[in-house]
Amino acid sequence: MTTPAPVHPVDELPPVRQLAAFGLQHVLAMYAGAVAVPLIVGGAMKLSPADLAYLITADLLVCGIATLIQCVGFWRFGVRLPIMQGCTFAAVSPMVLIGTTGGGLPAIYGSVIVAGLAIVLLAPVFGRLLRFFPPLVTGTVILIIGVSLLPVAGNWAAGGTGSKNFGEPKNLGLALFVLLVVLGVQRFAPAFLSRIAVLIGIAVGLAVAVPFGFTDFGGVGDADWLGISTPFHFGAPTFHVSAIVSMLVVALVTMTETTGDLIAVGEMTGRGVEPRSLADGLRADGLSTVLGGVFNTFPYTAYAQNVGLVGMTRVRSRWVVAAAGGILVLLGLLPKLGAVVAAIPAPVLGGAGLVMFGTVAASGLRTLAQVDFKDNHNLTVVAVSVAVGMLPVGVPTAYEKFPDWFQTVMDSGISAGCLTAIVLNLLFNHLPAKATFVPEPDGLPSGGGEQGVEESREEVV
């Protein structure tokens, strides 16, 4: 008798009731971000309420399909890790510009299809770049992902950007209540319940929010029971060179962000991302983006919100996130269910988001703990990369006078910080240094030296 090989936690299949609960938790964590992109783009283009609702249901449907492709995978598509997919915010500004001045939705969808095909073709190239992501770079990128998401949770906790009562104490009080519920469940509840602490916190927060007038379910009655997204609903795609170029820049940004997210989930789940699996994950992004262009939605990428949930709950099964993808497909086909989820008030999501996004940042610090910071320039790499990554988060208008392509790259703190970390790591740890290294008393570097560089290359890279 031979003993069966142990199943990796990523491939474990939990019982159905756990799949449903864990999957719903992932959906609630990313829902607000998923519907924000169609709301912003459709609102900027002054679409009718019916067309706006159509964009949202189409987005949820393709979000679910994209998540299934990424988690379950087929052939060379899908990283087969617990990764949620959603519309990328990096594409919002270019799409609004294309939609309002360059040909409307058909021009957007034409550029999205071309960008998706480009991602599929470039995926193997990005896969070979994995050697430029040692723990020094990956830890920095994961830290930046977490910190850059915290303002999102803060805006939710205050009531949601643009809300009439933004910042009122009752909003922050509800968010704090949800945060305390999540922490209490994690600390004192049995193991299974502690793993769905976010779901319990959101459910309890919603139960409190309804009688206090934070939300109403009036929109549920107006929503249709069934909604089917048909290809090219808004017309056949058109292809404009300027629109395609801007969307190709977005494609490079989203590939950089997805690389960081995939590496982060690989660290958390104990299944490190290899060049081939990274290429598979990026290839799935490209296919999902092509499907987005066909089914009336937008470019897709890995969602960092759910990276934090994986680290916080320690539920590493990709089938859990696949179940979340199935729930998103249902929400896309049944708009009335989507309206129920949309009724969850922003402060409830904000309280849960503070825990999840903080977990991502803490995971980055854990990865950086593996890095040697003695007698080298690694501290400078982290410091400058975090600073560059946080600049567009803290000062959103910092680059508004720069060209559009530059804004597309640098307005994303994740891509800006990731590119900075890669370049600085190459500069300090791969290029030969000429000056003698003299460490300062406070540990900050004052020069470069061959010995420090060689040690860093051996121990970190």
Side-chain angles (χ1 to χ4, degrees):
M1 295 289 291
T2 58
T3 304
V7 178
H8 193 282
V10 169
D11 298 319
E12 286 180 351
L13 183 61
V16 173
R17 64 183 182 86
Q18 293 185 12
L19 272 179
F22 293 151
L24 180 59
Q25 190 169 234
H26 273 281
V27 170
L28 296 179
M30 60 83 68
Y31 187 89
V35 300
V37 174
L39 282 173
I40 294 170
V41 176
M45 297 180 63
K46 297 180 171 55
L47 297 182
S48 67
D51 285 342
L52 203 54
Y54 190 94
L55 278 184
I56 292 172
T57 54
D59 174 39
L60 292 174
L61 175 65
V62 181
C63 274
I65 295 172
T67 299
L68 288 169
I69 293 172
Q70 193 70 274
C71 295
V72 179
F74 67 93
W75 191 50
R76 304 308 313 161
F77 292 86
V79 72
R80 295 168 176 82
L81 286 173
I83 293 286
M84 286 291 289
Q85 298 285 105
C87 283
T88 174
F89 284 87
V92 169
S93 296
M95 289 192 301
V96 168
L97 188 63
I98 296 167
T100 54
T101 65
L105 285 172
I108 291 177
Y109 295 140
S111 63
V112 167
I113 291 172
V114 173
L117 294 173
I119 292 173
V120 172
L121 294 175
L122 290 174
V125 177
F126 258 71
R128 288 195 283 274
L129 297 178
L130 192 61
R131 66 181 184 276
F132 298 115
F133 286 84
L136 173 65
V137 174
T138 59
T140 303
V141 172
I142 297 169
L143 174 62
I144 292 171
I145 291 172
V147 177
S148 65
L149 285 172
L150 287 174
V152 176
N155 281 321
W156 288 346
T161 304
S163 64
K164 295 179 181 178
N165 61 351
F166 185 85
E168 288 190 5
K170 67 175 185 178
N171 292 332
L172 295 168
L174 178 59
L176 176 61
F177 171 73
V178 173
L179 173 62
L180 293 176
V181 170
V182 172
L183 295 176
V185 171
Q186 266 208 308
R187 175 62 181 86
F188 299 108
F192 170 69
L193 292 180
S194 69
R195 291 180 176 180
I196 56 171
V198 170
L199 178 60
I200 294 174
I202 291 175
V204 173
L206 182 60
V208 171
V210 173
F212 283 95
F214 281 90
T215 187
D216 66 79
F217 293 91
V220 178
D222 299 332
D224 296 327
W225 277 106
L226 187 64
I228 303 294
S229 298
T230 55
F232 307 125
H233 175 80
F234 295 99
T238 58
F239 301 93
H240 301 267
V241 174
S242 59
I244 290 172
V245 170
S246 63
M247 205 56 66
L248 288 175
V249 175
V250 170
L252 294 175
V253 173
T254 57
M255 291 177 80
T256 304
E257 292 182 350
T258 296
T259 298
D261 290 334
L262 296 184
I263 291 173
V265 172
E267 294 267 353
M268 292 177 178
T269 59
R271 175 176 281 180
V273 175
E274 302 294 334
R276 181 168 175 172
S277 57
L278 174 59
D280 292 347
L282 294 173
R283 204 176 281 116
D285 264 14
L287 176 59
S288 303
T289 298
V290 172
L291 292 176
V294 172
F295 285 95
N296 320 292
T297 178
F298 308 115
Y300 285 86
T301 187
Y303 254 31
Q305 290 94 316
N306 298 85
V307 174
L309 193 55
V310 171
M312 174 187 163
T313 62
R314 299 184 298 279
V315 177
R316 296 180 279 177
S317 172
R318 60 189 173 107
W319 299 107
V320 165
V321 180
I327 295 172
L328 285 172
V329 170
L330 283 177
L331 293 177
L333 296 175
L334 302 173
K336 199 172 284 290
L337 288 179
V340 172
V341 178
I344 298 174
V348 172
L349 297 174
L354 288 171
V355 185
M356 294 186 299
F357 304 159
T359 301
V360 180
S363 298
L365 293 176
R366 183 176 60 188
T367 301
L368 287 174
Q370 307 170 18
V371 178
D372 177 24
F373 288 100
K374 184 179 179 181
D375 295 341
N376 56 43
H377 296 282
N378 289 340
L379 193 64
T380 300
V381 174
V382 176
V384 176
S385 301
V386 171
V388 173
M390 290 301 98
L391 183 58
V393 176
V395 189
T397 58
Y399 301 120
E400 65 178 6
K401 303 295 185 184
F402 286 76
D404 291 339
W405 67 267
F406 187 88
Q407 292 185 50
T408 300
V409 176
M410 300 301 290
D411 272 348
S412 166
I414 297 173
S415 64
C418 183
L419 292 173
T420 304
I422 293 172
V423 171
L424 291 182
N425 178 57
L426 290 174
L427 175 65
F428 286 115
N429 292 331
H430 288 267
L431 295 181
K434 306 236 175 175
T436 303
F437 184 90
V438 181
E440 295 290 339
D442 59 1
L444 291 175
S446 61
E450 297 267 351
Q451 183 178 359
V453 171
E454 290 300 324
E455 289 175 358
S456 175
R457 183 182 306 149
E458 291 174 4
E459 296 179 14
V460 178
V461 181

